[in-house]
Amino acid sequence: MELHKILYEFQFGFRKRHSTILALMEVLDNNYHHLNRREFVIVICLDLKKAFDTVNHDILLYKLQNYGVRGIVNQWFKSYLSERKQITSIIRDSYSDIGFVTVGVPQVSVLKPVLFFLYINDICNAIPDAKIKLFADNSNLFLYDTSLSNLHHRANLSLTCLSK
């Protein structure tokens, strides 16, 4: 993914050479640039609640296919995500019923962040006129404009587009 530059360039979580310091420098640099141009800045911080647990398997598999993960490898991922079960130990020798996991990426896996990143990788396409910076499951939306009323309108429009 790194070699073919598949991952969104402003995804800073769990990646080599994409630290929190680099993310902060990028944000500050960008904001100062717009403030120096006498533009207003709106920053909308979104923290996706239980984001890794809400990944829709069908959508993820579709996106993997679009990123070139096809054939046997895509079938392997389908098998990996399908028919997963979970059980909770309440107290010693006392367990919950077995439940089937139909959404989310497996918790104890090195693939967890990678699969999630591919799932949200195209988020920037939802709002083409905004800058989005990502750090794992935290999304930050940056909008700039010389008119405060235009900026307010664009912020609302961007959130509507993102929601869809």
Side-chain angles (χ1 to χ4, degrees):
M1 290 183 302
E2 293 287 344
L3 179 66
H4 296 289
K5 299 181 186 216
I6 291 173
L7 288 180
Y8 178 55
E9 67 178 315
F10 297 116
Q11 170 59 267
F12 292 95
F14 304 106
R15 292 178 67 191
K16 284 184 181 179
R17 296 179 294 280
H18 285 77
S19 67
T20 53
I21 292 171
L22 184 61
L24 184 59
M25 288 172 43
E26 169 68 28
V27 166
L28 289 174
D29 215 29
N30 218 353
N31 286 347
Y32 282 132
H33 170 76
H34 288 280
L35 290 171
N36 286 336
R37 292 174 54 183
R38 301 205 182 279
E39 293 177 313
F40 295 101
V41 177
I42 286 183
V43 181
I44 302 170
C45 302
L46 306 166
D47 185 5
L48 304 174
K49 187 176 181 181
K50 296 199 172 259
F52 291 92
D53 297 336
T54 60
V55 172
N56 178 299
H57 293 167
D58 292 332
I59 294 172
L60 176 60
L61 290 167
Y62 175 78
K63 288 184 177 195
L64 286 171
Q65 174 118 5
N66 284 334
Y67 287 123
V69 179
R70 297 185 178 107
I72 293 172
V73 178
N74 194 281
Q75 288 301 313
W76 181 86
F77 275 106
K78 185 175 183 176
S79 172
Y80 176 71
L81 295 168
S82 299
E83 298 183 35
R84 298 186 74 83
K85 300 173 188 169
Q86 68 182 12
I87 191 166
T88 304
S89 172
I90 301 166
I91 344 175
R92 188 189 313 229
D93 299 327
S94 180
Y95 300 95
S96 69
D97 291 335
I98 295 174
F100 285 90
V101 180
T102 58
V103 294
V105 288
Q107 293 299 313
V108 187
S109 169
V110 294
L111 290 174
K112 178 181 172 180
V114 174
L115 292 174
F116 181 74
F117 289 171
L118 290 172
Y119 188 71
I120 65 162
N121 197 48
D122 58 354
I123 194 171
C124 59
N125 297 333
I127 316 168
D129 71 328
K131 302 267 186 190
I132 299 177
K133 309 288 191 242
L134 306 171
F135 192 85
D137 61 340
N138 294 301
S139 304
N140 300 290
L141 174 64
F142 296 85
L143 295 155
Y144 314 96
D145 205 301
T146 54
S147 163
L148 197 53
S149 62
N150 284 349
L151 188 57
H152 182 261
H153 175 73
R154 286 181 50 223
N156 285 321
L157 185 63
S158 294
L159 287 173
T160 300
C161 290
L162 190 58
S163 176
K164 288 179 182 177

